[in-house]
Structure formats: C-alpha cells, structure tokens
Amino acid sequence: MRFSPVAMALSLTLFAVSSGANGQRADDQINPKSLAALSEGQAALRAGNLEAANDALETALAIDPRNRSAFVALGRVAQAQQLPGKAIRMYFEALSLEPNDLNALSAQGEAMVQKGAVERARANLARVRALCKSECAPAVQLAAAIAKGPPPAIVAAQTSDKVPPKGQEQSTVGQK
C-alpha cells in the first residue's frame, strides 16, 4: 500500500514517455506523398517552369518538413530566380537536417558566390573536400563556381562606393 502512489506515478511517466516515441517516424522515412511532390517539382525545374517547381516543392515540405531534398531543390529554384539569399536559407535548412550533405554544402557555396560571398564559399569548399576525401562532383562544381567568381553586377556593386540616387538603381533581376 505504501508503494501504490509511487508505482502509479512511475507507470504513468513510463506510459507518457513511451507513447510519444511510438508516434514518431524515423528521420529516414519521408512521407511518400512528399516524395511524389518532390519528383513533380524537380521535373518542373528541369523544364524551366520555376513557379510550378516552387509550388510543388513547397507542397512537399508542407507534407513532410524533413524532406531534405526538397529544401535543396527549392534552393536551386531560388538560384534560378536570382535570389541567392533565399537559396542560402534553403540550403541552411537542408544542412540543419543533415550537416554533412555534400549536395547542399556545394549548392550553398554556389549561392554564396552568386551573392558575392566568395570567402564563405571557399569555407564550404574546404568542408566538401574534407568530407569527400578524394575529388568528387560537388567539390568540382563548387570549385568551378568559385573560379568563375560572382556576377559582374555584384562585383561592380562591391567595388563602388557610390550609392545611386533613388529611382536610378539598376536591377539585375530577370537579366541573363
């Protein structure tokens, strides 16, 4: 009788802890609907339909926010839309799920170059090379992007100390 309240409290605690663990899926089990939306988004990206790709990939993430490949693909869409800041953020989300994802590290480095942060891209390259142990495709791609350098408009903006008057700013969005 003296142990009944303690035993009941212990059993309730064990029940609460074990029921929470039973309801969660393992990290490597991505929802199949999310994978289907990811495939649809990647196909739209390859076709050049960035808006449809963005919608499908955001749907994939709404279904399963642990879909690392959807974050990487969304970053690719953002880069194609000349939005390197958004792309870097998407790659950061993918890297928060798996810090050693070579594709996300490489793509993030490419977006950093696109934004003009070449030194940070070099840090990503060093990390990719350390993870690869030998020469691998993500390291080669990132090294090529770093060698090419940032877009001319970014270089010009970084070297200029003049601020254009309001209304006379030049945008590179949509130019290719």
Side-chain angles (χ1 to χ4, degrees), residues 42-58:
Q42 289 173 331
L45 177 59
R46 283 190 297 273
N49 189 349
L50 301 179
E51 188 173 319
N54 196 45
D55 291 344
L57 294 168
E58 285 181 355

PDB file of all heavy atoms in Angstrom, residues 42-58:
ATOM      1  N   GLN A  42      10.961  18.679 -59.170  1.00  0.00           N
ATOM      2  CA  GLN A  42      12.223  18.532 -59.894  1.00  0.00           C
ATOM      3  C   GLN A  42      11.988  18.481 -61.396  1.00  0.00           C
ATOM      4  O   GLN A  42      12.767  19.039 -62.169  1.00  0.00           O
ATOM      5  CB  GLN A  42      12.969  17.295 -59.403  1.00  0.00           C
ATOM      6  CG  GLN A  42      13.533  17.460 -58.018  1.00  0.00           C
ATOM      7  CD  GLN A  42      14.132  16.189 -57.457  1.00  0.00           C
ATOM      8  OE1 GLN A  42      13.713  15.089 -57.788  1.00  0.00           O
ATOM      9  NE2 GLN A  42      15.136  16.343 -56.595  1.00  0.00           N
ATOM     10  N   ALA A  43      10.909  17.824 -61.815  1.00  0.00           N
ATOM     11  CA  ALA A  43      10.585  17.776 -63.246  1.00  0.00           C
ATOM     12  C   ALA A  43      10.248  19.173 -63.766  1.00  0.00           C
ATOM     13  O   ALA A  43      10.683  19.564 -64.857  1.00  0.00           O
ATOM     14  CB  ALA A  43       9.426  16.813 -63.487  1.00  0.00           C
ATOM     15  N   ALA A  44       9.502  19.935 -62.986  1.00  0.00           N
ATOM     16  CA  ALA A  44       9.161  21.302 -63.396  1.00  0.00           C
ATOM     17  C   ALA A  44      10.411  22.176 -63.440  1.00  0.00           C
ATOM     18  O   ALA A  44      10.554  23.021 -64.335  1.00  0.00           O
ATOM     19  CB  ALA A  44       8.127  21.890 -62.448  1.00  0.00           C
ATOM     20  N   LEU A  45      11.332  21.966 -62.509  1.00  0.00           N
ATOM     21  CA  LEU A  45      12.587  22.724 -62.510  1.00  0.00           C
ATOM     22  C   LEU A  45      13.407  22.410 -63.762  1.00  0.00           C
ATOM     23  O   LEU A  45      13.930  23.311 -64.414  1.00  0.00           O
ATOM     24  CB  LEU A  45      13.391  22.413 -61.250  1.00  0.00           C
ATOM     25  CG  LEU A  45      14.761  23.074 -61.118  1.00  0.00           C
ATOM     26  CD1 LEU A  45      14.645  24.591 -61.155  1.00  0.00           C
ATOM     27  CD2 LEU A  45      15.434  22.624 -59.826  1.00  0.00           C
ATOM     28  N   ARG A  46      13.503  21.129 -64.110  1.00  0.00           N
ATOM     29  CA  ARG A  46      14.236  20.742 -65.325  1.00  0.00           C
ATOM     30  C   ARG A  46      13.588  21.327 -66.577  1.00  0.00           C
ATOM     31  O   ARG A  46      14.274  21.686 -67.529  1.00  0.00           O
ATOM     32  CB  ARG A  46      14.317  19.223 -65.445  1.00  0.00           C
ATOM     33  CG  ARG A  46      15.348  18.588 -64.543  1.00  0.00           C
ATOM     34  CD  ARG A  46      15.557  17.123 -64.874  1.00  0.00           C
ATOM     35  NE  ARG A  46      14.364  16.334 -64.676  1.00  0.00           N
ATOM     36  CZ  ARG A  46      13.992  15.764 -63.527  1.00  0.00           C
ATOM     37  NH1 ARG A  46      14.738  15.922 -62.458  1.00  0.00           N
ATOM     38  NH2 ARG A  46      12.884  15.059 -63.448  1.00  0.00           N
ATOM     39  N   ALA A  47      12.255  21.448 -66.564  1.00  0.00           N
ATOM     40  CA  ALA A  47      11.535  22.011 -67.705  1.00  0.00           C
ATOM     41  C   ALA A  47      11.617  23.532 -67.746  1.00  0.00           C
ATOM     42  O   ALA A  47      11.214  24.151 -68.726  1.00  0.00           O
ATOM     43  CB  ALA A  47      10.075  21.565 -67.668  1.00  0.00           C
ATOM     44  N   GLY A  48      12.120  24.142 -66.674  1.00  0.00           N
ATOM     45  CA  GLY A  48      12.254  25.591 -66.647  1.00  0.00           C
ATOM     46  C   GLY A  48      11.032  26.312 -66.104  1.00  0.00           C
ATOM     47  O   GLY A  48      10.975  27.536 -66.113  1.00  0.00           O
ATOM     48  N   ASN A  49      10.053  25.566 -65.619  1.00  0.00           N
ATOM     49  CA  ASN A  49       8.854  26.172 -65.055  1.00  0.00           C
ATOM     50  C   ASN A  49       9.085  26.396 -63.565  1.00  0.00           C
ATOM     51  O   ASN A  49       8.736  25.570 -62.724  1.00  0.00           O
ATOM     52  CB  ASN A  49       7.647  25.256 -65.296  1.00  0.00           C
ATOM     53  CG  ASN A  49       6.341  25.913 -64.926  1.00  0.00           C
ATOM     54  OD1 ASN A  49       6.307  26.965 -64.298  1.00  0.00           O
ATOM     55  ND2 ASN A  49       5.246  25.282 -65.327  1.00  0.00           N
ATOM     56  N   LEU A  50       9.695  27.526 -63.240  1.00  0.00           N
ATOM     57  CA  LEU A  50      10.116  27.799 -61.872  1.00  0.00           C
ATOM     58  C   LEU A  50       8.956  27.981 -60.906  1.00  0.00           C
ATOM     59  O   LEU A  50       9.031  27.569 -59.746  1.00  0.00           O
ATOM     60  CB  LEU A  50      11.027  29.025 -61.843  1.00  0.00           C
ATOM     61  CG  LEU A  50      12.299  28.921 -62.679  1.00  0.00           C
ATOM     62  CD1 LEU A  50      13.103  30.204 -62.588  1.00  0.00           C
ATOM     63  CD2 LEU A  50      13.130  27.730 -62.258  1.00  0.00           C
ATOM     64  N   GLU A  51       7.876  28.571 -61.378  1.00  0.00           N
ATOM     65  CA  GLU A  51       6.722  28.793 -60.498  1.00  0.00           C
ATOM     66  C   GLU A  51       6.077  27.460 -60.099  1.00  0.00           C
ATOM     67  O   GLU A  51       5.780  27.240 -58.930  1.00  0.00           O
ATOM     68  CB  GLU A  51       5.698  29.691 -61.196  1.00  0.00           C
ATOM     69  CG  GLU A  51       4.568  30.129 -60.284  1.00  0.00           C
ATOM     70  CD  GLU A  51       3.665  31.151 -60.954  1.00  0.00           C
ATOM     71  OE1 GLU A  51       4.178  32.047 -61.640  1.00  0.00           O
ATOM     72  OE2 GLU A  51       2.447  31.028 -60.763  1.00  0.00           O
ATOM     73  N   ALA A  52       5.886  26.573 -61.068  1.00  0.00           N
ATOM     74  CA  ALA A  52       5.313  25.257 -60.762  1.00  0.00           C
ATOM     75  C   ALA A  52       6.261  24.449 -59.877  1.00  0.00           C
ATOM     76  O   ALA A  52       5.822  23.735 -58.969  1.00  0.00           O
ATOM     77  CB  ALA A  52       5.006  24.498 -62.047  1.00  0.00           C
ATOM     78  N   ALA A  53       7.560  24.567 -60.135  1.00  0.00           N
ATOM     79  CA  ALA A  53       8.549  23.857 -59.321  1.00  0.00           C
ATOM     80  C   ALA A  53       8.491  24.357 -57.880  1.00  0.00           C
ATOM     81  O   ALA A  53       8.487  23.553 -56.940  1.00  0.00           O
ATOM     82  CB  ALA A  53       9.952  24.052 -59.895  1.00  0.00           C
ATOM     83  N   ASN A  54       8.428  25.663 -57.707  1.00  0.00           N
ATOM     84  CA  ASN A  54       8.352  26.248 -56.370  1.00  0.00           C
ATOM     85  C   ASN A  54       7.112  25.754 -55.634  1.00  0.00           C
ATOM     86  O   ASN A  54       7.184  25.364 -54.471  1.00  0.00           O
ATOM     87  CB  ASN A  54       8.352  27.771 -56.476  1.00  0.00           C
ATOM     88  CG  ASN A  54       8.655  28.436 -55.167  1.00  0.00           C
ATOM     89  OD1 ASN A  54       9.573  28.040 -54.454  1.00  0.00           O
ATOM     90  ND2 ASN A  54       7.872  29.451 -54.837  1.00  0.00           N
ATOM     91  N   ASP A  55       5.965  25.749 -56.318  1.00  0.00           N
ATOM     92  CA  ASP A  55       4.715  25.308 -55.692  1.00  0.00           C
ATOM     93  C   ASP A  55       4.790  23.841 -55.279  1.00  0.00           C
ATOM     94  O   ASP A  55       4.406  23.487 -54.160  1.00  0.00           O
ATOM     95  CB  ASP A  55       3.532  25.516 -56.645  1.00  0.00           C
ATOM     96  CG  ASP A  55       3.202  26.988 -56.865  1.00  0.00           C
ATOM     97  OD1 ASP A  55       3.670  27.833 -56.075  1.00  0.00           O
ATOM     98  OD2 ASP A  55       2.484  27.284 -57.833  1.00  0.00           O
ATOM     99  N   ALA A  56       5.286  22.983 -56.164  1.00  0.00           N
ATOM    100  CA  ALA A  56       5.360  21.558 -55.860  1.00  0.00           C
ATOM    101  C   ALA A  56       6.334  21.278 -54.715  1.00  0.00           C
ATOM    102  O   ALA A  56       6.060  20.447 -53.837  1.00  0.00           O
ATOM    103  CB  ALA A  56       5.765  20.769 -57.108  1.00  0.00           C
ATOM    104  N   LEU A  57       7.448  21.979 -54.705  1.00  0.00           N
ATOM    105  CA  LEU A  57       8.439  21.753 -53.656  1.00  0.00           C
ATOM    106  C   LEU A  57       7.955  22.274 -52.302  1.00  0.00           C
ATOM    107  O   LEU A  57       8.206  21.652 -51.265  1.00  0.00           O
ATOM    108  CB  LEU A  57       9.772  22.394 -54.046  1.00  0.00           C
ATOM    109  CG  LEU A  57      10.434  21.743 -55.263  1.00  0.00           C
ATOM    110  CD1 LEU A  57      11.575  22.598 -55.772  1.00  0.00           C
ATOM    111  CD2 LEU A  57      10.894  20.340 -54.936  1.00  0.00           C
ATOM    112  N   GLU A  58       7.244  23.390 -52.306  1.00  0.00           N
ATOM    113  CA  GLU A  58       6.678  23.876 -51.054  1.00  0.00           C
ATOM    114  C   GLU A  58       5.603  22.924 -50.546  1.00  0.00           C
ATOM    115  O   GLU A  58       5.460  22.722 -49.339  1.00  0.00           O
ATOM    116  CB  GLU A  58       6.122  25.288 -51.227  1.00  0.00           C
ATOM    117  CG  GLU A  58       7.221  26.329 -51.296  1.00  0.00           C
ATOM    118  CD  GLU A  58       6.710  27.746 -51.444  1.00  0.00           C
ATOM    119  OE1 GLU A  58       5.481  27.940 -51.598  1.00  0.00           O
ATOM    120  OE2 GLU A  58       7.533  28.664 -51.412  1.00  0.00           O
TER     121      GLU A  58
END
